[in-house]
Amino acid sequence: IYCLFKFVLLHSTIFAQMLQFNTELSSVVRVVNGNGPCSGRVEIIHSGEWGTVCGEHWNLANAEVVCKQLRCGTAVSASGNACFGGGNGTIWRDYKCKGNESSITSCAAGKLSSRSCSHSEDGGVVCSNYFIPLVSSVVRVVNGNGPCSGRVEIIHSGEWGTVCGEHWNLANAEVVCKQLRCGTAVSASGNACFGGGNGTIWRDYKCKGNESSITSCAAGKLSSRSCSHSEDGGVVCSNSALIRLAGGPDRCAGRLEVNLYGKWGTVCDDYWHLENAEVVCRQLDCGSAVGASAEACFKQGRGPIWRDYNCQGSEKFITNCTIERHGARICDHSEDVGVVCSGKYLSHYTITDNNIHGTL
């Protein structure tokens, strides 16, 4: 960890010196006002001054370049209407990217200061890695579908090892999720659900759930001889689920699909209503919900039917909602749910009592 911080500090100093010589070539990009380092209003620095970008031509290709530059994965959405709030100061550029540029400043652009834009049009992005927890020097999760789900590993004396799943439960998972800034625990597995690891199996932890760190929990011996890697502990945190809308005309309307344990599945319609759809639209940055459909309105999906969600509408993520059943066995894909958000051209649809009809 010391070497990592030393490396970052050294290169930050060098980068700052480069800015003094050529601010245009070494322009810095950042995102602010989002829910982490990979979503928010896009800001760029010129001559020591941070400014926003004009949203007039801001699109997914522009967002793709920003996400790649920030090492935040791929672009999930691009907004040009100050979705993350209006900024201050200069509105630097009206960028027009192809999507394959290595830096936002490599894209074609209008004037340095765009007089035709206001801060109500500031550009924003949501990247695929927008759930990125702060670095933890003790615990990590691997082999999941993102930084908030996977096999739990802990480092001792410079060596990463797994945890014994014999007593691994939701209280243990709660501590790990909290430590990783990944929300609350959705599930805890003790049977190598995310694959068996290598090396030492460090501990058989027994947490209460309110500890600030996994290493604060009661534990057995440092190396548990009674466990094998077929019992490695894993977690799924509330900020881990990936969602998408499929089978519709664009990404803001379609059949709801959720990725858990690396598999895409659908959602049962038993408890599906507009409040549920509201959470989905918010999570996808697609505005507000205008329709919540049942009975496979957007055609039937495939794979597991993961959950019966029952939301109040104020939840930040679909995985924060009450779960009525896990693996809805009485549902089939003829009951797959769908969503239409306000970020879609609604002329395609007729909405009657929250049911959706129209050309799909």
Side-chain angles (χ1 to χ4, degrees):
I1 298 300
Y2 171 77
C3 292
L4 174 62
F5 286 151
K6 187 174 180 180
F7 175 86
V8 172
L9 181 61
L10 173 63
H11 283 73
S12 297
T13 304
I14 294 173
F15 194 58
Q17 292 172 347
M18 289 171 62
L19 281 173
Q20 295 177 1
F21 292 108
N22 194 328
T23 58
E24 180 61 27
L25 289 177
S26 58
S27 292
V28 181
V29 64
R30 69 183 183 188
V31 289
V32 300
N33 236 31
N35 64 357
C38 292
S39 69
R41 181 177 66 247
V42 177
E43 296 190 350
I44 295 176
I45 191 171
H46 289 286
S47 302
E49 179 186 352
W50 285 101
T52 61
V53 296
C54 180
E56 187 177 353
H57 297 96
W58 192 255
N59 56 30
L60 209 59
N62 296 1
E64 185 70 23
V65 175
V66 170
C67 292
K68 181 167 55 179
Q69 190 172 350
L70 291 174
R71 298 192 177 181
C72 283
T74 58
V76 173
S77 72
S79 58
N81 57 350
C83 179
F84 295 96
N88 298 300
T90 304
I91 302 172
W92 284 123
R93 290 180 179 270
D94 187 6
Y95 287 98
K96 303 174 185 177
C97 304
K98 296 178 181 178
N100 58 358
E101 296 87 350
S102 60
S103 167
I104 187 67
T105 52
S106 301
C107 300
K111 295 180 180 179
L112 187 62
S113 179
S114 176
R115 59 176 181 166
S116 63
C117 269
S118 68
H119 284 299
S120 65
E121 302 172 87
D122 283 343
V125 300
V126 175
C127 306
S128 60
N129 293 352
Y130 69 111
F131 292 128
I132 294 185
L134 298 181
V135 174
S136 169
S137 61
V138 177
V139 65
R140 69 184 182 187
V141 289
V142 298
N143 242 29
N145 63 2
C148 294
S149 69
R151 182 177 64 248
V152 177
E153 296 189 350
I154 294 176
I155 192 169
H156 287 287
S157 303
E159 180 186 351
W160 286 100
T162 61
V163 297
C164 180
E166 186 177 353
H167 297 96
W168 192 256
N169 56 29
L170 208 60
N172 296 0
E174 185 70 24
V175 174
V176 170
C177 292
K178 180 169 55 178
Q179 189 173 352
L180 291 174
R181 304 288 179 92
C182 283
T184 58
V186 173
S187 71
S189 58
N191 58 350
C193 179
F194 295 97
N198 299 299
T200 304
I201 302 172
W202 283 123
R203 291 179 179 269
D204 186 7
Y205 287 97
K206 303 173 186 178
C207 304
K208 296 178 180 178
N210 57 359
E211 295 87 349
S212 60
S213 167
I214 188 67
T215 52
S216 301
C217 300
K221 295 180 180 180
L222 186 63
S223 180
S224 175
R225 60 178 180 167
S226 64
C227 270
S228 70
H229 284 300
S230 65
E231 301 172 87
D232 283 342
V235 301
V236 175
C237 305
S238 61
N239 290 1
S240 67
L242 301 177
I243 67 172
R244 67 187 181 191
L245 297 179
D250 72 0
R251 70 173 202 86
C252 291
R255 178 181 61 252
L256 175 62
E257 297 186 350
V258 179
N259 189 314
L260 290 173
Y261 313 112
K263 296 180 180 179
W264 286 102
T266 60
V267 175
C268 180
D269 64 8
D270 283 358
Y271 297 88
W272 196 251
H273 44 72
L274 199 63
E275 286 78 8
N276 296 12
E278 185 69 28
V279 177
V280 170
C281 293
R282 183 185 308 116
Q283 186 172 344
L284 288 174
D285 191 28
C286 282
S288 57
V290 296
S293 70
E295 300 178 350
C297 178
F298 290 94
K299 299 183 180 179
Q300 296 184 24
R302 296 180 178 180
I305 302 172
W306 282 125
R307 295 173 179 272
D308 267 337
Y309 290 105
N310 192 0
C311 307
Q312 296 179 349
S314 58
E315 295 88 349
K316 193 171 185 181
F317 310 112
I318 189 70
T319 47
N320 293 143
C321 300
T322 301
I323 302 163
E324 299 296 338
R325 271 194 311 279
H326 184 79
R329 56 186 178 137
I330 65 169
C331 269
D332 60 35
H333 285 298
S334 67
E335 300 168 88
D336 286 345
V337 305
V339 176
V340 171
C341 306
S342 62
K344 164 70 207 128
Y345 294 110
L346 300 179
S347 59
H348 288 271
Y349 304 99
T350 300
I351 311 294
T352 306
D353 295 329
N354 298 333
N355 290 317
I356 305 166
H357 312 276
T359 304
L360 304 182

